Amino acid sequence: MNSSLHVTASALSIALLALPACAGEMPVRPQNSYANGAVSGAAAQQDSLGGPGYADIADLVLSAPVIADATVRSTAKIKPAEAPNLAPGLVRLYVEVDVTALIRGADGLPPRIGYLLDVAPDSAGRVPKFKKARVLLFARPVAGAGNQVQLVAPDAQIDWTPSADARARKIAKDALASDAPPVITGIGNAFHVAGALPGEGETQIFLTTADQRPVSLSVLRRPGEQPRWAVALSEIVDESAAPPAPETLLWYRMACALPPTLPERSTGSLEAADAAIAREDYAFVIAALGPCGRTRKI
């Protein structure tokens, strides 16, 4: 290793690890996780389109003020003694990349940037080779170092694929839209009103949000018909209300944040029969949403 690069990487290691971690959004239902939360020789779990799934990309996008499409120019190994807080069995690299495109970043980026990356060697002890690899980076700026960034998570360097790039751009755009759905934090009260006919009725379930904006679920049952459900982003549920489309920001914020069952406190004011129907209707909504699909460790 070049000695000047070694000194720079060592100093940068201490500086970057002193920065606070960014919590981002913290959905409730993590599923599988990567070992140690570090990048291995293989990329994150791939979906059928050849890249990480929607929820994994959304987790990273929503935590990252800087998102870049870049090509790795060089990597340099940092001595374990000079890599604070390095988990056992991992290797810390100083990575330099050439920025191809800036997907998000209010203050822009220089054409070449550097950052730290913890990686897991393979079974033979070989460190993954990233030189010339095209990657997507999810990062935050480093104060006072315009050519340095800090990854928002240990696995926030991912292989570039067309689907990963498209997803990252779409999620970043949707998150900044004026009508972006709020962050869902839990379940409020649930109500059920029986209809005039046996088996007829409507359940309404209110969700809690980070900014107190109203979000509610409604499930309508009619005899001989499949239940119909919708989500409303206002205090009024009108005919335009519908379930969220899969792989949208609203779908993600519901599928990855809602608990698997309706909390008991949400039906505390209901009669036992109405509470049972409300729980059944909530389970119907969760099944219709489908799994969050997250594979990352949150």
Side-chain angles (χ1 to χ4, degrees):
M1 183 189 301
N2 180 283
S3 60
S4 62
L5 177 57
H6 172 74
V7 172
T8 301
S10 175
L12 179 66
S13 175
I14 295 171
L16 290 187
L17 290 173
L19 292 175
C22 178
E25 298 191 25
M26 299 296 291
V28 175
R29 293 194 289 167
Q31 300 186 4
N32 298 329
S33 62
Y34 302 141
N36 298 317
V39 175
S40 66
Q45 180 175 325
Q46 306 285 295
D47 71 0
S48 60
L49 297 177
Y54 186 96
D56 288 340
I57 298 272
D59 288 343
L60 293 170
V61 168
L62 296 172
S63 298
V66 174
I67 305 172
D69 170 0
T71 300
V72 177
R73 181 180 182 85
S74 65
T75 63
K77 191 183 298 185
I78 298 175
K79 293 180 179 179
E82 299 175 350
N85 304 319
L86 180 65
L90 301 185
V91 174
R92 181 160 296 161
L93 303 177
Y94 177 69
V95 183
E96 280 196 335
V97 299
D98 293 321
V99 177
T100 303
L102 183 63
I103 296 173
R104 172 190 279 179
D107 298 323
L109 281 178
R112 185 172 300 161
I113 58 174
Y115 54 91
L116 300 175
L117 179 69
D118 291 353
V119 298
D122 65 17
S123 58
R126 293 184 295 262
V127 174
K129 296 184 182 298
F130 295 108
K131 189 173 181 180
K132 297 184 179 180
R134 188 174 178 183
V135 296
L136 282 176
L137 305 175
F138 302 86
R140 62 177 69 88
V142 175
N147 64 340
Q148 308 293 334
V149 297
Q150 182 192 32
L151 298 180
V152 297
D155 58 348
Q157 172 192 293
I158 66 173
D159 289 347
W160 184 96
T161 66
S163 65
D165 185 277
R167 279 186 170 126
R169 292 175 184 272
K170 180 68 164 58
I171 294 165
K173 179 182 177 182
D174 291 348
L176 294 175
S178 59
D179 60 349
V183 176
I184 292 169
T185 57
I187 307 290
N189 291 327
F191 302 93
H192 177 76
V193 178
L197 301 175
E200 185 179 56
E202 182 174 4
T203 296
Q204 191 167 19
I205 302 167
F206 293 92
L207 308 183
T208 58
T209 61
D211 59 1
Q212 286 74 54
R213 276 190 283 165
V215 177
S216 64
L217 310 174
S218 61
V219 181
L220 184 63
R221 292 179 178 269
R222 290 195 174 99
E225 297 181 11
Q226 278 288 102
R228 291 188 294 123
W229 78 282
V231 56
L233 301 181
S234 67
E235 294 179 351
I236 300 174
V237 181
D238 56 30
E239 293 298 322
S240 66
E247 297 209 353
T248 59
L249 195 55
L250 179 57
W251 169 85
Y252 160 83
R253 285 181 165 161
M254 294 178 64
C256 296
L258 292 178
T261 57
L262 191 64
E264 289 293 331
R265 56 178 170 73
S266 297
T267 58
S269 63
L270 301 182
E271 298 292 335
D274 290 341
I277 295 173
R279 287 191 294 270
E280 183 180 344
D281 286 345
Y282 181 80
F284 171 75
V285 170
I286 293 299
L289 282 170
C292 164
R294 178 181 292 116
T295 63
R296 299 179 61 249
K297 180 178 180 179
I298 297 297

